[in-house]
Amino acid sequence: MGEFELIDRYFSQLGAQRADVVQGVGDDAALLAVPPGQQLVTCVDTLVAGHHFPHDSHADDIGWRALAVNLSDLAAMGATPAWAMLALTMPDVDEEWLEGFAAGFGALAMQHGVALVGGDTTRGPLSISVSLLGLLPTGTALRRSGARPGDLIYVTGWPGDAAAGLALLQGRLQGHGADRGALEFKFRRPEPRVAFGSRLRGIASSCIDVSDGLAADLGRLVAASGVGAVLRAAELPLSRALYALAGEARARDFALGGGDDYELLYTVAPGARQQMFQLAASAGAPACHCIGEVVAGRGVRVLGERGELPIPRGWDHFHA
Ligand code: ADP
Ligand code: MG
């Protein structure tokens, strides 16, 4: 199969059909209609086989992940995703793989109303780069830099589950049955908090998505805001499955240092607490837990019952 046939068969109609796509796949570039009063929000993330997912991952999980990691970035800005571009580098044309990849990517794109509007296809070691474009009302984006001393720190979902799922897949953690299945699924199929992120506009003072580990990403948020953070270890949400397979101390290390959560970590000023309660209690909201407080100063500290706890290092590609 040639390049054009491949693009036509797998990528020319992938995801949602949108009226604002003036020209999608097929011309030299895509042409998109940005509504007046809206800002364009863009991000790009590359997945390299063996680094961002195990070599033996299913193609549909890879397709899902390639879009999910970008959806999570837009969620953290409070944006609504609209259009995606896909730069795909692969060693050969494997139709079964392409079928699976397009199915995983397409299923998540449909869920979020995202149209694939263009891309590039080349030969080489497997690597997938997705660029995602979204919209939000001008001036309403959630930033990392808005946290102030006294703000409460919240996280969605159950951080650490995905990292434990990867550890199970790689044999660094042992376990069986439903708990194992649940954690592995959290790694294989992250559910970015897109709808919730857009509802945090006007409520959260700052926001970041947790991709490299809760403590490391909180460190970035407080650095951007020029403040510090104190977390209470006892308030960290640990899922029952994580607790059962890893035990309390290791579960906490997964929650603080493990990556791949794609949850939202955000701060709320005391005055917006009531709105936050209402949002958290509304239909479809993910679990939200208050895990600490923004303080004057810098850096992240984690307080346990007997004083400060060491913080496991987050994920950094260029760390020696
Ligand atoms: P050009 O040589 O003009 O850059 P290409 O042959 O790279 O054109 O691509 C032809 C069309 O197919 C373009 O509209 C491009 O955006 C689209 N395209 C190429 N690869 C992909 C892909 N992997 N996914 C989606 N669209 C793609
Ligand atoms: Mg091209």
Side-chain angles (χ1 to χ4, degrees):
M1 184 175 5
E3 183 187 330
F4 295 103
E5 199 188 336
L6 181 162
I7 294 166
D8 191 51
R9 177 160 326 162
Y10 296 105
F11 300 124
S12 63
Q13 301 289 329
L14 204 55
Q17 301 297 311
R18 296 178 61 102
D20 51 14
V21 178
V22 182
Q23 169 70 59
V25 171
D27 210 317
D28 293 310
L31 201 51
L32 309 165
V34 178
Q38 302 267 310
Q39 280 174 320
L40 190 60
V41 189
T42 80
C43 60
V44 61
D45 255 319
T46 301
L47 305 188
V48 177
H51 291 268
H52 300 93
F53 54 85
H55 281 290
D56 58 0
S57 299
H58 293 296
D60 50 352
D61 289 340
I62 299 171
W64 179 284
R65 169 170 296 270
L67 183 58
V69 299
N70 283 286
L71 286 167
S72 184
D73 279 325
L74 285 200
M77 300 298 288
T80 302
W83 312 296
M85 308 280 289
L86 166 66
L88 179 60
T89 305
M90 52 191 178
D92 48 40
V93 176
D94 176 340
E95 290 198 46
E96 199 182 319
W97 190 91
L98 280 162
E99 193 91 45
F101 179 86
F105 188 102
L108 189 59
M110 285 302 282
Q111 240 182 61
H112 292 280
V114 169
L116 181 65
V117 297
D120 195 32
T121 307
T122 53
R123 191 183 290 265
L126 182 62
S127 154
I128 302 117
S129 211
V130 172
S131 172
L132 189 62
L133 301 95
L135 299 165
L136 49 66
T138 298
T140 65
L142 300 172
R143 316 281 283 266
R144 294 180 180 184
S145 53
R148 295 295 171 260
D151 288 358
L152 302 166
I153 302 170
Y154 286 84
V155 68
T156 59
W158 309 97
D161 279 10
L166 178 61
L168 285 163
L169 288 167
Q170 295 178 332
R172 289 180 286 114
L173 178 67
Q174 311 306 319
H176 301 281
D179 289 337
R180 182 190 178 107
L183 296 176
E184 285 186 0
F185 190 75
K186 286 289 205 57
F187 173 77
R188 290 178 36 232
R189 294 289 171 126
E191 292 277 356
R193 305 295 189 183
V194 175
F196 192 71
S198 70
R199 297 180 68 187
L200 282 174
R201 294 200 312 258
I203 296 178
S205 53
S206 72
C207 186
I208 189 171
D209 73 313
V210 183
S211 54
D212 297 336
L214 196 161
D217 288 316
L218 179 58
R220 291 179 190 141
L221 182 145
V222 295
S225 295
V227 295
V230 175
L231 297 184
R232 292 178 303 273
E235 306 294 331
L236 279 177
L238 302 176
S239 76
R240 207 195 43 75
L242 178 61
Y243 198 97
L245 294 197
E248 185 176 355
R250 208 172 164 201
R252 196 191 308 123
D253 281 354
F254 275 119
L256 285 170
D260 296 310
D261 295 309
Y262 303 107
E263 296 292 349
L264 294 180
L265 179 65
Y266 57 97
T267 60
V268 175
R273 210 173 171 168
Q274 200 54 41
Q275 273 178 290
M276 176 55 211
F277 279 133
Q278 282 162 6
L279 178 58
S282 65
C288 307
H289 293 98
C290 183
I291 57 173
E293 197 175 314
V294 178
V295 295
R298 51 188 302 227
V300 175
R301 288 187 300 142
V302 181
L303 298 185
E305 270 169 33
R306 285 180 289 278
E308 203 169 326
L309 297 175
I311 297 179
R313 191 187 293 285
W315 185 252
D316 179 346
H317 288 279
F318 294 103
H319 189 76

